[in-house]
Amino acid sequence: MTVRLADNILTPPVFLAPMAGITDRPFRDLVMSFGAGLVVSEMVASQEMVQAKPGVRERAELGAGVENTAVQLAGREARWMAEAARRVEANGAAVIDINMGCPAKKVTSGYSGSALMKTPDHALTLIEAVVKAVDVPVTLKTRLGWDDGMRNAAEIARRAEAAGVGMITIHGRTRCQFYKGRADWAAIREVKEAVTVPVIANGDITCVDDARQALALSGADGVMVGRGAQGRPWQLARIAQELFGGPAPQIPQGAALAEMVAAHYQAMLSFYGTELGTRVARKHLGWYMDQAGTGPALRRAVLTERDPAQVLRLLADALADSSDGRQETAAA
């Protein structure tokens, strides 16, 4: 099973969701090493990127020249969205994704993210501006709507397709639900029936059973995994193998897991610099140890240690007893 996006074949149809502070270049590279049809960058604010505020341009450039990577843009003004799209395309981005799904107050209070679902006419001006500005495929990520009284994802999807959007991802909640309750995968079917472009189901898909049920209820062409990949960069490949066939990923255990985590840790230090990298790495190390069942004392020692060399020594012990069985239990 594959997803066609313009001239691109995205296979397997299991994608990594954009997550602020998580789907940076080191993590995306690691997920892709196991196998994923598409990975999406952290959200990049279009106006700030164009104005080259520190750190934002760098995040946008993470997608440059990397196969099966989308750069996600957010904003509220067509001119900034179009210019940001042109710049990331010039830097080598293969796909540009428009964010209309972020529920965070700091985003929606600026009339970006999922707040755009309250003003479909305005949202379409942004979509049209981006599509006209670039030659690479443009995709769209939304929620079901702003709230239960405004579930307009299907309407927006129809108009987005007419404007030239080549794929649409739907998180199965409204903005006002944030991440409460369960994602309504069945509600995504209305969007799937409204358009002819591929539709991707997102929200609460953490394991094979979730993915199978989401596809059955939504009729979607593929799934997008977010939190399910935290501490398990192989999880997308595992889902893909179970649902669509192909080789099973080699899931590292014990010393092999410690070696993989150490390499990810060092990649983060190299990418961010030691001081920032050690802080960014803590959440990832915590997720790895959660999956491995690391004891509380050793876990605390790893997460409070500031010396990278000592962290690497501690990780060998912290992950040495991990087993695939324990990881499978956590994945269920």
Side-chain angles (χ1 to χ4, degrees):
M1 189 173 180
T2 63
V3 168
R4 177 178 289 277
L5 176 59
D7 294 330
N8 304 304
I9 301 298
L10 305 180
T11 184
V14 183
F15 305 156
L16 179 66
M19 293 179 284
I22 299 170
T23 54
D24 56 17
R25 178 65 182 272
F27 185 64
R28 295 201 319 267
D29 284 351
L30 184 54
V31 170
M32 284 297 291
S33 73
F34 286 97
L38 184 75
V39 296
V40 186
S41 76
E42 301 172 78
M43 179 182 68
V44 178
S46 56
Q47 182 173 349
E48 285 80 353
M49 195 281 290
V50 172
Q51 294 176 334
K53 291 187 178 179
V56 182
R57 181 187 294 272
E58 289 79 1
R59 287 202 299 274
E61 290 173 345
L62 297 182
V66 181
E67 187 178 4
N68 285 14
T69 297
V71 175
Q72 188 182 73
L73 297 178
R76 63 181 182 274
E77 293 186 41
R79 64 181 178 123
W80 293 120
M81 290 287 285
E83 181 58 27
R86 281 190 286 268
R87 294 196 183 194
V88 297
E89 180 188 38
N91 287 332
V95 178
I96 294 172
D97 185 62
I98 298 173
N99 182 306
M100 284 178 53
C102 181
K105 186 175 181 180
K106 66 180 180 180
V107 175
T108 59
S109 62
Y111 303 104
S112 299
S114 55
L116 290 167
M117 301 194 77
K118 294 195 292 184
T119 56
D121 289 346
H122 175 64
L124 261 293
T125 67
L126 274 59
I127 293 170
E128 291 166 350
V130 171
V131 170
K132 290 176 181 177
V134 297
D135 293 322
V136 297
V138 175
T139 62
L140 175 67
K141 189 171 190 292
T142 82
R143 290 196 161 218
L144 295 173
W146 177 256
D147 57 24
D148 284 336
M150 186 182 289
R151 288 193 168 216
N152 55 354
E155 172 204 346
I156 291 173
R158 277 193 296 268
R159 297 179 67 181
E161 179 182 25
V165 163
M167 184 175 75
I168 298 167
T169 300
I170 305 293
H171 182 113
R173 289 183 176 88
T174 65
R175 183 272 175 182
C176 289
Q177 287 180 275
F178 286 89
Y179 295 98
K180 297 176 182 177
R182 290 286 298 175
D184 187 353
W185 300 320
I188 298 173
R189 184 172 288 274
E190 182 183 0
V191 178
K192 173 59 183 171
E193 293 174 349
V195 297
T196 61
V197 296
V199 172
I200 308 301
N202 175 231
D204 293 340
I205 300 172
T206 62
C207 64
V208 174
D209 288 344
D210 291 341
R212 183 178 289 113
Q213 188 176 7
L215 288 171
L217 291 174
S218 67
D221 301 283
V223 294
M224 183 170 278
V225 178
R227 288 171 290 169
Q230 294 172 356
R232 298 179 293 177
W234 53 79
Q235 191 69 341
L236 279 73
R238 171 187 275 165
I239 290 170
Q241 191 275 329
E242 290 285 345
L243 294 186
F244 309 116
Q250 294 297 312
I251 299 173
Q253 305 170 46
L257 176 63
E259 183 178 346
M260 184 207 77
V261 174
H264 185 195
Y265 178 69
Q266 290 171 313
M268 287 184 280
L269 298 187
S270 176
F271 185 79
Y272 291 106
T274 300
E275 183 176 353
L276 177 57
T278 53
R279 296 201 301 270
V280 171
R282 286 184 189 128
K283 55 180 171 285
H284 288 280
L285 299 183
W287 293 324
Y288 287 128
M289 290 187 288
D290 288 344
Q291 295 299 321
T294 304
L298 189 50
R299 188 181 194 279
R300 190 179 313 111
V302 171
L303 297 182
T304 56
E305 179 59 55
R306 293 188 176 185
D307 178 11
Q310 183 63 13
V311 170
L312 290 170
R313 285 192 288 270
L314 289 168
L315 281 173
D317 293 331
L319 303 172
D321 295 331
S322 66
S323 68
D324 191 39
R326 183 176 296 161
Q327 291 159 359
E328 285 286 4
T329 300

